[in-house]
Amino acid sequence: MKRRLGEVGINQRALFHGTKFTNPRQLATGVDGIDPRCTPPGRYYGTGAYFSEDLDYVDSWYAFKVPGHADLYQVIVAHVLCGQQYDFGEEVTREPAELRRRPYIPGTTITYDSVKGGPHRGSYMHVVYSATRSHISYIVTYRKSDTPAPVHP
């Protein structure tokens, strides 16, 4: 990708990923990033590894609840090589949900490197279809509280 697009064109982003029912440490033990084949079928943009620009989105829907701790959760911060993206915008139709690989760039035999969609529930989604396009940088553990944090002027 870097050879084809150059340093700037690799479009590397720090994004959030939630594992919901899988301990994030299980994913962090491999040499590759997040395996898209583990995505349940029927997602917005097909079988890929999904990442969000917004922590609130991941926290609300996909954060992993740490066993034995009533208020501890975990999410992954990953560096994702998005490269040249196909932007679906807010479109959620049958076509993107049936994706099994990256769409082709019109008029070529080259595929986009990833897809982007949204905003969905306030966040843009980025989807890659190869584990080598993501690298788990951090597993963030945090506490949820019913008491809002103080606002400082």
Side-chain angles (χ1 to χ4, degrees):
M1 181 191 306
K2 187 175 178 181
R3 205 173 322 143
R4 182 171 49 89
L5 299 174
E7 187 71 41
V8 175
I10 62 173
N11 192 12
Q12 179 176 285
R13 296 172 174 265
L15 300 168
F16 300 100
H17 179 80
T19 59
K20 186 99 174 178
F21 302 114
T22 304
N23 188 326
R25 293 186 189 285
Q26 288 178 300
L27 278 72
T29 58
V31 293
D32 286 334
I34 295 167
D35 190 342
R37 297 172 298 179
C38 298
T39 302
R43 297 293 182 225
Y44 286 130
Y45 306 105
T47 305
Y50 284 65
F51 300 90
S52 173
E53 294 180 3
D54 184 12
L55 176 59
D56 286 339
Y57 178 87
V58 176
D59 174 58
S60 296
W61 301 96
Y62 300 105
F64 174 74
K65 186 169 182 348
V66 178
H69 298 277
D71 59 352
L72 284 183
Y73 293 83
Q74 292 179 323
V75 298
I76 291 171
V77 176
H79 281 89
V80 183
L81 300 178
C82 296
Q84 194 171 1
Q85 290 187 302
Y86 180 85
D87 191 345
F88 279 105
E90 294 184 52
E91 175 186 355
V92 180
T93 64
R94 190 169 185 75
E95 179 187 329
E98 292 177 353
L99 283 175
R100 296 191 187 285
R101 63 176 182 198
R102 304 168 296 192
Y104 285 98
I105 297 171
T108 74
T109 57
I110 300 169
T111 58
Y112 285 96
D113 299 304
S114 65
V115 301
K116 176 183 176 183
H120 301 294
R121 296 188 178 124
S123 182
Y124 288 94
M125 307 304 297
H126 299 267
V127 184
V128 295
Y129 299 91
S130 169
T132 60
R133 299 293 168 109
S134 64
H135 171 77
I136 297 171
S137 301
Y138 306 100
I139 296 173
V140 179
T141 303
Y142 58 97
R143 184 175 314 273
K144 285 192 180 183
S145 172
D146 292 335
T147 307
V151 177
H152 300 287

Coordinates of all heavy atoms in Angstrom, one line a residue, residues 12-90:
Q12 N -3.3 6.4 7.7 CA -3.3 5.7 9.0 C -4.1 6.5 10.0 O -3.9 7.7 10.1 CB -1.9 5.5 9.5 CG -1.8 4.8 10.8 CD -0.4 4.5 11.3 OE1 0.2 3.6 10.8 NE2 0.1 5.3 12.3
R13 N -5.0 5.8 10.7 CA -5.8 6.5 11.7 C -5.8 5.7 13.0 O -5.7 4.5 13.0 CB -7.3 6.5 11.2 CG -7.5 7.3 10.0 CD -8.9 7.2 9.4 NE -9.1 8.0 8.3 CZ -9.7 9.2 8.5 NH1 -10.1 9.7 9.6 NH2 -9.9 10.0 7.4
A14 N -5.9 6.4 14.1 CA -6.1 5.8 15.4 C -7.6 5.7 15.6 O -8.3 6.8 15.7 CB -5.4 6.6 16.5
L15 N -8.1 4.5 15.8 CA -9.6 4.3 15.8 C -9.9 3.3 17.0 O -9.0 2.6 17.5 CB -10.1 3.7 14.5 CG -9.9 4.6 13.3 CD1 -10.2 3.9 12.0 CD2 -10.7 5.9 13.4
F16 N -11.2 3.3 17.4 CA -11.6 2.5 18.5 C -12.3 1.2 17.9 O -13.0 1.2 16.9 CB -12.6 3.2 19.3 CG -12.0 4.5 19.9 CD1 -12.2 5.7 19.4 CD2 -11.2 4.4 21.1 CE1 -11.7 6.9 19.9 CE2 -10.6 5.5 21.6 CZ -10.8 6.7 21.0
H17 N -12.1 0.1 18.7 CA -12.8 -1.2 18.3 C -13.3 -1.8 19.6 O -12.6 -1.9 20.6 CB -11.8 -2.1 17.6 CG -12.3 -3.4 17.3 ND1 -13.1 -3.6 16.1 CD2 -12.3 -4.6 17.9 CE1 -13.5 -4.9 16.1 NE2 -13.0 -5.5 17.1
G18 N -14.5 -2.3 19.6 CA -15.1 -3.0 20.7 C -15.2 -4.4 20.4 O -15.5 -4.8 19.3
T19 N -15.1 -5.3 21.4 CA -15.1 -6.7 21.2 C -16.4 -7.3 21.9 O -16.6 -8.5 21.8 CB -13.9 -7.4 21.8 OG1 -13.8 -7.1 23.2 CG2 -12.6 -6.9 21.1
K20 N -17.1 -6.6 22.6 CA -18.4 -6.9 23.3 C -18.3 -8.2 24.1 O -18.2 -8.1 25.3 CB -19.5 -7.1 22.3 CG -20.9 -7.3 22.9 CD -21.7 -6.1 22.9 CE -23.1 -6.3 23.4 NZ -23.8 -5.1 23.5
F21 N -18.2 -9.4 23.5 CA -18.2 -10.6 24.3 C -16.8 -11.3 24.3 O -16.7 -12.4 25.0 CB -19.2 -11.6 23.7 CG -20.6 -11.0 23.7 CD1 -21.3 -10.7 22.5 CD2 -21.3 -10.7 24.9 CE1 -22.5 -10.2 22.5 CE2 -22.6 -10.2 24.9 CZ -23.2 -9.9 23.7
T22 N -15.8 -10.8 23.7 CA -14.5 -11.4 23.6 C -13.5 -10.5 24.4 O -13.5 -9.3 24.1 CB -14.1 -11.6 22.1 OG1 -15.0 -12.3 21.4 CG2 -12.7 -12.3 22.1
N23 N -12.7 -11.2 25.2 CA -11.7 -10.5 26.0 C -10.7 -9.9 25.0 O -10.2 -10.6 24.2 CB -11.0 -11.4 26.9 CG -10.1 -10.7 27.9 OD1 -9.5 -9.7 27.5 ND2 -10.0 -11.2 29.1
P24 N -10.5 -8.6 25.0 CA -9.6 -7.9 24.0 C -8.2 -8.5 24.1 O -7.5 -8.5 23.1 CB -9.6 -6.5 24.4 CG -10.8 -6.2 25.2 CD -11.1 -7.6 25.9
R25 N -7.8 -9.0 25.2 CA -6.4 -9.6 25.3 C -6.3 -10.8 24.4 O -5.2 -11.1 24.0 CB -6.1 -10.0 26.8 CG -6.0 -8.8 27.7 CD -5.6 -9.1 29.1 NE -5.7 -8.0 30.0 CZ -4.8 -7.0 30.0 NH1 -3.8 -6.9 29.1 NH2 -5.0 -6.0 30.8
Q26 N -7.4 -11.5 24.1 CA -7.3 -12.7 23.2 C -6.9 -12.2 21.8 O -6.2 -12.9 21.1 CB -8.6 -13.4 23.2 CG -8.9 -14.2 24.4 CD -10.3 -14.9 24.3 OE1 -11.3 -14.2 24.2 NE2 -10.3 -16.2 24.4
L27 N -7.4 -11.0 21.4 CA -7.1 -10.5 20.1 C -5.7 -10.0 20.0 O -5.0 -10.0 19.0 CB -8.0 -9.4 19.7 CG -9.4 -9.8 19.1 CD1 -10.3 -10.4 20.2 CD2 -10.0 -8.7 18.5
A28 N -5.2 -9.5 21.2 CA -3.9 -8.8 21.2 C -2.7 -9.8 21.2 O -1.6 -9.4 21.1 CB -3.8 -7.9 22.4
T29 N -3.0 -11.1 21.3 CA -1.9 -12.0 21.4 C -1.4 -12.4 20.0 O -0.3 -13.0 19.9 CB -2.3 -13.3 22.1 OG1 -3.4 -13.9 21.5 CG2 -2.7 -13.0 23.6
G30 N -2.1 -12.1 18.9 CA -1.7 -12.5 17.6 C -0.7 -11.5 17.0 O -0.5 -10.4 17.5
V31 N -0.1 -11.9 15.9 CA 0.9 -11.0 15.2 C 0.2 -10.1 14.3 O 0.6 -9.0 14.0 CB 2.0 -11.8 14.4 CG1 2.9 -12.6 15.4 CG2 1.3 -12.8 13.4
D32 N -1.0 -10.5 13.8 CA -1.8 -9.7 12.9 C -2.7 -8.8 13.7 O -2.8 -8.9 15.0 CB -2.6 -10.5 11.9 CG -1.8 -11.1 10.8 OD1 -0.7 -10.5 10.5 OD2 -2.1 -12.1 10.3
G33 N -3.5 -7.9 13.1 CA -4.4 -7.1 13.8 C -5.7 -7.9 14.0 O -5.8 -9.1 14.2
I34 N -6.8 -7.2 13.9 CA -8.2 -7.7 14.2 C -8.6 -8.5 13.0 O -8.7 -7.9 11.9 CB -9.1 -6.6 14.6 CG1 -8.6 -6.0 15.9 CG2 -10.5 -7.1 14.7 CD1 -9.2 -4.8 16.4
D35 N -9.0 -9.7 13.2 CA -9.3 -10.6 12.1 C -10.7 -10.4 11.6 O -11.7 -10.6 12.4 CB -9.2 -12.1 12.5 CG -9.3 -13.1 11.4 OD1 -9.8 -12.7 10.3 OD2 -8.9 -14.2 11.6
P36 N -10.9 -9.9 10.4 CA -12.3 -9.6 9.9 C -13.2 -10.8 9.8 O -14.4 -10.7 9.8 CB -12.0 -9.1 8.5 CG -10.6 -8.8 8.4 CD -9.9 -9.6 9.4
R37 N -12.6 -12.0 9.7 CA -13.4 -13.2 9.6 C -14.2 -13.5 10.9 O -15.1 -14.3 10.9 CB -12.5 -14.4 9.3 CG -11.9 -14.3 7.9 CD -10.9 -15.4 7.7 NE -9.8 -15.3 8.7 CZ -8.8 -16.2 8.8 NH1 -8.7 -17.2 8.0 NH2 -7.9 -16.0 9.8
C38 N -13.9 -12.8 12.0 CA -14.6 -13.0 13.2 C -15.8 -12.2 13.4 O -16.5 -12.2 14.3 CB -13.6 -12.8 14.4 SG -12.2 -13.9 14.4
T39 N -16.0 -11.3 12.4 CA -17.2 -10.4 12.4 C -18.5 -11.2 12.1 O -18.5 -12.0 11.1 CB -17.1 -9.3 11.3 OG1 -15.9 -8.6 11.6 CG2 -18.2 -8.4 11.4
P40 N -19.5 -11.1 13.0 CA -20.7 -11.8 12.7 C -21.3 -11.3 11.4 O -21.2 -10.1 11.0 CB -21.6 -11.4 13.9 CG -20.7 -10.8 14.9 CD -19.5 -10.3 14.2
P41 N -22.0 -12.2 10.7 CA -22.6 -11.8 9.4 C -23.7 -10.7 9.6 O -24.3 -10.6 10.6 CB -23.2 -13.1 8.8 CG -23.3 -14.0 10.0 CD -22.3 -13.6 11.0
G42 N -24.0 -10.0 8.5 CA -25.1 -9.1 8.5 C -24.8 -7.7 9.0 O -25.7 -6.9 9.3
R43 N -23.5 -7.4 9.1 CA -23.1 -6.0 9.5 C -23.3 -5.0 8.3 O -23.4 -5.4 7.2 CB -21.7 -6.0 10.0 CG -21.5 -6.9 11.2 CD -22.2 -6.3 12.4 NE -21.9 -7.1 13.6 CZ -22.9 -7.5 14.4 NH1 -24.1 -7.1 14.2 NH2 -22.6 -8.2 15.5
Y44 N -23.3 -3.7 8.7 CA -23.5 -2.7 7.7 C -22.7 -2.9 6.4 O -23.2 -2.7 5.3 CB -23.1 -1.3 8.3 CG -24.1 -0.7 9.3 CD1 -23.6 -0.3 10.5 CD2 -25.4 -0.6 9.0 CE1 -24.4 0.3 11.4 CE2 -26.3 0.0 9.9 CZ -25.8 0.4 11.1 OH -26.6 1.0 12.1
Y45 N -21.4 -3.1 6.5 CA -20.5 -3.1 5.4 C -19.8 -4.5 5.2 O -18.7 -4.6 4.8 CB -19.5 -2.0 5.5 CG -20.2 -0.7 5.7 CD1 -20.2 -0.1 7.0 CD2 -20.9 -0.1 4.7 CE1 -20.8 1.1 7.2 CE2 -21.5 1.1 4.9 CZ -21.5 1.7 6.1 OH -22.2 2.9 6.4
G46 N -20.6 -5.6 5.5 CA -20.1 -6.9 5.2 C -19.1 -7.4 6.2 O -19.0 -6.9 7.3
T47 N -18.4 -8.5 5.8 CA -17.5 -9.2 6.7 C -16.2 -8.5 6.7 O -15.3 -8.7 5.9 CB -17.3 -10.7 6.3 OG1 -18.6 -11.2 6.2 CG2 -16.5 -11.4 7.3
G48 N -16.0 -7.6 7.7 CA -14.7 -6.9 7.9 C -14.5 -6.5 9.3 O -15.3 -6.8 10.2
A49 N -13.3 -5.9 9.6 CA -13.0 -5.5 11.0 C -13.5 -4.0 11.0 O -13.1 -3.2 10.2 CB -11.6 -5.6 11.2
Y50 N -14.4 -3.7 12.0 CA -15.0 -2.4 12.1 C -14.3 -1.6 13.2 O -14.0 -2.0 14.3 CB -16.5 -2.6 12.5 CG -17.4 -3.1 11.4 CD1 -17.2 -4.3 10.8 CD2 -18.4 -2.3 10.9 CE1 -18.0 -4.8 9.8 CE2 -19.2 -2.7 9.8 CZ -19.0 -3.9 9.3 OH -19.8 -4.3 8.2
F51 N -14.2 -0.3 12.8 CA -13.5 0.6 13.7 C -14.3 1.9 13.7 O -14.9 2.3 12.7 CB -12.1 0.9 13.3 CG -11.2 -0.3 13.3 CD1 -11.1 -1.1 12.1 CD2 -10.5 -0.7 14.4 CE1 -10.4 -2.2 12.1 CE2 -9.8 -1.8 14.4 CZ -9.7 -2.6 13.2
S52 N -14.4 2.6 14.9 CA -15.1 3.8 15.0 C -14.2 5.0 15.3 O -13.2 4.8 16.0 CB -16.2 3.7 16.1 OG -16.8 4.9 16.4
E53 N -14.6 6.2 14.8 CA -13.8 7.4 15.2 C -14.2 7.9 16.6 O -13.5 8.7 17.2 CB -14.2 8.5 14.2 CG -13.6 8.3 12.8 CD -13.9 9.4 11.9 OE1 -14.5 10.4 12.3 OE2 -13.6 9.2 10.7
D54 N -15.3 7.4 17.1 CA -15.9 7.9 18.4 C -16.0 6.9 19.5 O -16.6 5.8 19.3 CB -17.4 8.4 18.0 CG -18.1 9.0 19.2 OD1 -17.4 9.4 20.2 OD2 -19.3 9.2 19.1
L55 N -15.3 7.1 20.6 CA -15.3 6.2 21.7 C -16.7 6.0 22.3 O -17.0 4.9 22.7 CB -14.3 6.7 22.8 CG -14.3 5.9 24.1 CD1 -13.9 4.5 23.8 CD2 -13.4 6.6 25.1
D56 N -17.5 7.1 22.3 CA -18.9 6.9 22.8 C -19.7 5.9 22.1 O -20.4 5.1 22.7 CB -19.6 8.3 22.8 CG -19.1 9.2 23.8 OD1 -18.5 8.8 24.8 OD2 -19.4 10.4 23.6
Y57 N -19.5 5.8 20.8 CA -20.2 4.8 20.0 C -19.8 3.4 20.5 O -20.6 2.5 20.7 CB -19.9 5.0 18.5 CG -20.6 3.9 17.7 CD1 -21.9 4.1 17.2 CD2 -19.9 2.8 17.3 CE1 -22.5 3.1 16.4 CE2 -20.5 1.8 16.5 CZ -21.8 2.0 16.1 OH -22.4 1.1 15.3
V58 N -18.5 3.1 20.5 CA -18.0 1.8 20.9 C -18.4 1.5 22.4 O -18.8 0.4 22.7 CB -16.4 1.7 20.8 CG1 -15.9 0.4 21.3 CG2 -16.1 1.9 19.3
D59 N -18.3 2.5 23.3 CA -18.6 2.3 24.7 C -20.1 1.9 24.8 O -20.5 1.1 25.6 CB -18.3 3.6 25.4 CG -18.8 3.5 26.9 OD1 -18.4 2.6 27.6 OD2 -19.7 4.4 27.2
S60 N -21.0 2.6 24.0 CA -22.4 2.4 24.2 C -22.8 1.0 23.6 O -23.8 0.4 24.2 CB -23.2 3.4 23.4 OG -23.0 4.7 24.0
W61 N -22.1 0.5 22.6 CA -22.6 -0.7 22.0 C -21.7 -1.9 22.0 O -22.2 -3.1 21.9 CB -22.9 -0.4 20.5 CG -24.0 0.7 20.4 CD1 -23.7 2.0 20.2 CD2 -25.4 0.5 20.5 NE1 -24.9 2.7 20.2 CE2 -25.9 1.8 20.3 CE3 -26.2 -0.6 20.7 CZ2 -27.3 2.0 20.4 CZ3 -27.6 -0.3 20.7 CH2 -28.1 1.0 20.6
Y62 N -20.4 -1.7 22.1 CA -19.5 -2.8 21.9 C -18.3 -3.0 22.9 O -17.4 -3.8 22.7 CB -18.8 -2.7 20.5 CG -19.9 -2.8 19.4 CD1 -20.3 -1.6 18.7 CD2 -20.5 -4.0 19.1 CE1 -21.3 -1.6 17.8 CE2 -21.5 -4.0 18.1 CZ -21.9 -2.8 17.5 OH -22.9 -2.9 16.5
A63 N -18.4 -2.2 24.0 CA -17.3 -2.4 25.0 C -17.4 -3.7 25.7 O -18.5 -4.3 25.9 CB -17.5 -1.2 26.1
F64 N -16.2 -4.3 26.0 CA -16.1 -5.5 26.7 C -16.3 -5.3 28.2 O -15.5 -4.5 28.8 CB -14.8 -6.2 26.4 CG -14.5 -7.4 27.2 CD1 -15.2 -8.6 26.9 CD2 -13.6 -7.4 28.3 CE1 -15.0 -9.8 27.7 CE2 -13.4 -8.6 29.0 CZ -14.1 -9.8 28.7
K65 N -17.2 -6.0 28.9 CA -17.4 -5.8 30.3 C -16.4 -6.8 31.0 O -16.4 -8.0 30.8 CB -18.8 -6.2 30.7 CG -19.1 -5.9 32.2 CD -20.5 -6.0 32.5 CE -20.9 -5.7 33.9 NZ -19.9 -5.6 34.9
V66 N -15.5 -6.2 31.9 CA -14.5 -7.1 32.5 C -15.1 -8.0 33.5 O -15.8 -7.5 34.4 CB -13.4 -6.2 33.2 CG1 -12.4 -7.0 33.9 CG2 -12.7 -5.3 32.2
P67 N -15.0 -9.3 33.4 CA -15.6 -10.2 34.4 C -15.2 -10.0 35.8 O -14.0 -9.7 36.1 CB -15.1 -11.6 33.9 CG -14.7 -11.4 32.5 CD -14.2 -10.0 32.4
G68 N -16.1 -10.0 36.7 CA -15.8 -9.9 38.1 C -15.8 -8.4 38.6 O -15.5 -8.1 39.8
H69 N -16.0 -7.5 37.7 CA -16.0 -6.1 38.0 C -17.2 -5.4 37.5 O -17.4 -5.3 36.3 CB -14.7 -5.4 37.4 CG -13.5 -5.9 38.0 ND1 -12.9 -5.5 39.2 CD2 -12.6 -6.9 37.5 CE1 -11.8 -6.2 39.4 NE2 -11.6 -7.0 38.3
A70 N -18.1 -4.9 38.4 CA -19.4 -4.4 38.0 C -19.3 -3.2 37.0 O -20.2 -3.0 36.2 CB -20.2 -4.0 39.2
D71 N -18.2 -2.4 37.1 CA -18.2 -1.1 36.4 C -17.0 -1.0 35.5 O -16.7 0.2 35.1 CB -18.4 0.0 37.3 CG -17.3 0.1 38.4 OD1 -16.5 -0.8 38.5 OD2 -17.3 1.1 39.1
L72 N -16.2 -2.0 35.2 CA -15.0 -1.9 34.4 C -15.3 -2.4 33.0 O -15.9 -3.5 32.8 CB -13.8 -2.7 35.0 CG -13.1 -2.1 36.2 CD1 -11.9 -3.0 36.6 CD2 -12.7 -0.7 36.0
Y73 N -14.8 -1.6 32.0 CA -15.0 -2.0 30.6 C -13.7 -1.8 29.9 O -12.8 -1.1 30.3 CB -16.0 -1.1 30.0 CG -17.4 -1.3 30.6 CD1 -17.8 -0.8 31.8 CD2 -18.3 -2.2 29.9 CE1 -19.0 -1.0 32.3 CE2 -19.5 -2.4 30.5 CZ -19.9 -1.9 31.7 OH -21.1 -2.1 32.2
Q74 N -13.6 -2.5 28.7 CA -12.4 -2.4 27.9 C -12.7 -2.1 26.4 O -13.7 -2.7 25.9 CB -11.5 -3.6 28.0 CG -10.9 -3.8 29.4 CD -10.1 -5.0 29.5 OE1 -10.4 -6.1 28.9 NE2 -8.9 -4.9 30.2
V75 N -11.9 -1.3 25.8 CA -12.0 -1.2 24.3 C -10.6 -1.2 23.8 O -9.6 -1.0 24.5 CB -12.8 0.1 23.9 CG1 -14.2 0.1 24.3 CG2 -12.0 1.4 24.4
I76 N -10.5 -1.4 22.5 CA -9.2 -1.4 21.8 C -9.0 -0.1 21.1 O -9.9 0.5 20.5 CB -9.1 -2.6 20.8 CG1 -9.1 -3.9 21.6 CG2 -7.9 -2.4 19.9 CD1 -9.2 -5.1 20.7
V77 N -7.8 0.5 21.2 CA -7.3 1.5 20.3 C -6.4 0.9 19.3 O -5.4 0.3 19.7 CB -6.6 2.7 21.1 CG1 -6.1 3.7 20.1 CG2 -7.6 3.3 22.1
A78 N -6.7 1.0 18.0 CA -5.9 0.4 17.0 C -5.4 1.4 16.0 O -6.1 2.4 15.7 CB -6.7 -0.7 16.3
H79 N -4.3 1.2 15.4 CA -3.8 2.0 14.3 C -4.3 1.2 13.0 O -4.0 0.0 12.9 CB -2.3 2.2 14.3 CG -2.0 3.3 15.3 ND1 -1.7 3.1 16.6 CD2 -1.9 4.7 15.1 CE1 -1.5 4.2 17.2 NE2 -1.6 5.2 16.3
V80 N -5.0 1.9 12.2 CA -5.6 1.2 11.0 C -5.2 1.9 9.8 O -5.2 3.1 9.6 CB -7.2 1.3 11.1 CG1 -7.8 0.6 10.0 CG2 -7.7 0.7 12.5
L81 N -4.7 1.1 8.8 CA -4.3 1.6 7.5 C -5.5 1.6 6.6 O -5.9 0.6 6.1 CB -3.2 0.7 6.9 CG -1.9 0.6 7.7 CD1 -0.9 -0.3 7.0 CD2 -1.3 2.0 8.0
C82 N -6.1 2.8 6.5 CA -7.3 2.9 5.7 C -7.1 3.1 4.2 O -7.9 2.8 3.4 CB -8.2 4.1 6.2 SG -8.8 3.8 7.9
G83 N -5.9 3.7 3.9 CA -5.5 3.9 2.5 C -6.6 4.6 1.7 O -7.2 5.6 2.2
Q84 N -6.8 4.2 0.5 CA -7.8 4.8 -0.4 C -9.2 4.2 0.0 O -9.4 3.0 -0.1 CB -7.5 4.6 -1.8 CG -8.3 5.4 -2.8 CD -7.7 5.3 -4.2 OE1 -6.8 4.6 -4.5 NE2 -8.3 6.1 -5.1
Q85 N -10.1 5.1 0.4 CA -11.4 4.6 1.0 C -12.6 4.8 0.0 O -12.6 5.9 -0.6 CB -11.8 5.3 2.3 CG -10.9 4.9 3.4 CD -11.4 5.4 4.7 OE1 -11.5 6.6 4.9 NE2 -11.7 4.6 5.7
Y86 N -13.5 3.8 0.0 CA -14.8 4.0 -0.7 C -15.7 4.6 0.4 O -15.8 4.0 1.5 CB -15.3 2.8 -1.3 CG -16.6 3.0 -1.9 CD1 -16.7 3.4 -3.3 CD2 -17.8 2.8 -1.3 CE1 -17.9 3.7 -3.9 CE2 -19.1 3.1 -1.9 CZ -19.1 3.5 -3.2 OH -20.3 3.8 -3.8
D87 N -16.4 5.7 0.2 CA -17.2 6.3 1.2 C -18.7 6.0 0.8 O -19.2 6.5 -0.1 CB -17.0 7.8 1.2 CG -17.6 8.5 2.4 OD1 -18.5 7.9 3.1 OD2 -17.2 9.6 2.7
F88 N -19.3 5.2 1.7 CA -20.7 4.9 1.5 C -21.6 6.0 2.0 O -22.8 6.0 1.9 CB -21.1 3.6 2.2 CG -20.8 2.3 1.4 CD1 -19.7 1.6 1.7 CD2 -21.5 2.0 0.3 CE1 -19.4 0.4 1.0 CE2 -21.2 0.8 -0.4 CZ -20.1 0.1 -0.1
G89 N -21.1 6.9 2.8 CA -21.9 7.9 3.4 C -22.9 7.3 4.4 O -22.5 6.4 5.1
E90 N -24.1 7.8 4.4 CA -25.1 7.2 5.4 C -25.8 6.0 4.8 O -26.8 5.5 5.4 CB -26.1 8.3 5.8 CG -25.4 9.4 6.6 CD -26.4 10.4 7.1 OE1 -27.4 10.0 7.7 OE2 -26.1 11.6 6.9

